[in-house]
Amino acid sequence: MKISSKFECKNVLFSVEVFPPKKENPVESIYAAAEKICTLSPDYVSVTYGAGGSAFQQKVTADLAAHLKKHGAEPLAHLTCVNSSLPEIRSMLRLLKENGVENILALRGDRAPEAGGDPELPHASDLIRFIRETGGGFDIAATCYPEGHPECDSLEEDIVYLREKVDRGATHLISQLFFDNGDFYRMLELCDKAGIHVPIQAGIMPVINSRQIQRMVSLCGAKLPTKFSKIMARYEGNPAALFDAGICYATEQIIDLISSGVRGIHLYSMNNFKVAETIHRNIKNILRGVNES
Ligand code: FAD
């Protein structure tokens, strides 16, 4: 089913991101975690894609998406463009179609250091246009950045390019993770002013260990509010306490977002079923309530 149709039937969607096996990872444990996540009946499950776009990366993303479908979940396959040729992207679109995938998250990805020459599709908006022109009837989602994309000079400029992604056919947006809801609300206001009216889901990552936080901040540059940093510092040496505190922080963020009318929560649970299950338990009555009203 197309995710845009789900947004037509529901006020608030709940979705979870999973990542496919890397070469060194055992496939079974990742598939087992993904299957357990399906038991939570999320509205869809997104499957990440290696920005290199190799044949191996194409296969693991397409295979996991097909596996999720077999287990009753709607997959959203991520697809990046910046390191790939047009024939490579065409072959991935074919593979996704053959695997019954109807929804794609169109991304630029990050340029591989070894990549030479100019990319054929330099931005996510170019990939969106390409997917539309290629056909296949995919529903297309794109990303947005509550604190602005790290390469952009300002949030305002980032939103000009975001509008381009929507104009070229993105039917919903998923945000980068953030820890201060104020940043997300500011971005929503700017989107509204810029005429972006597609549903925007908030990306939430429950942080349950300090290694994870350092990695995430260096990768995406998310700002850490004082309240959040205090929690991390206080419980750093106590994994059980940090788990509870990280889950509570994310749950509070989610409740505030849903109370403020957000159209969806996208959970970055890092293939950790316990995290997804605990957050889902905390908010399932809230989700049921807002979707009945
Ligand atoms: P774009 O929308 O192309 O934007 C990138 C930068 O270029 C921004 O600064 C933007 O303002 C600017 N820009 C956009 N259009 C133009 C234009 N026409 N002219 C000039 N400047 C422009 N990475 C992966 O490799 N695999 C994944 O599976 C993956 N999943 C992700 C899921 C989510 C929800 C998010 C938020 C990110 C994900 N990423 C993934 C990371 C993503 O690929 C990087 O953040 C990347 O740097 C930007 O991708 P984008 O699609 O947002 O790029």
Side-chain angles (χ1 to χ4, degrees), residues 17 47-51 78-80 105-110 122-126 143-145 149-152 157-158 161 164-165 174-177 266 268:
E17 179 184 279
V47 186
T48 64
Y49 183 70
H78 297 203
L79 177 59
T80 61
L105 176 62
L107 297 145
R108 183 195 71 176
D110 288 319
H123 293 290
S125 53
D126 301 309
T143 54
C144 57
Y145 297 81
H149 184 271
E151 289 166 34
C152 209
E157 186 189 332
D158 209 23
Y161 296 124
E164 206 168 319
K165 297 201 257 193
I174 305 175
S175 90
Q176 180 59 283
L177 61 92
H266 188 63
Y268 300 111

Side-chain angles (χ1 to χ4, degrees), residues 39-61:
T39 65
L40 303 174
S41 304
D43 290 294
Y44 68 86
V45 179
S46 84
V47 186
T48 64
Y49 183 70
S54 66
F56 173 81
Q57 287 163 333
Q58 293 197 354
K59 182 172 163 25
V60 286
T61 294

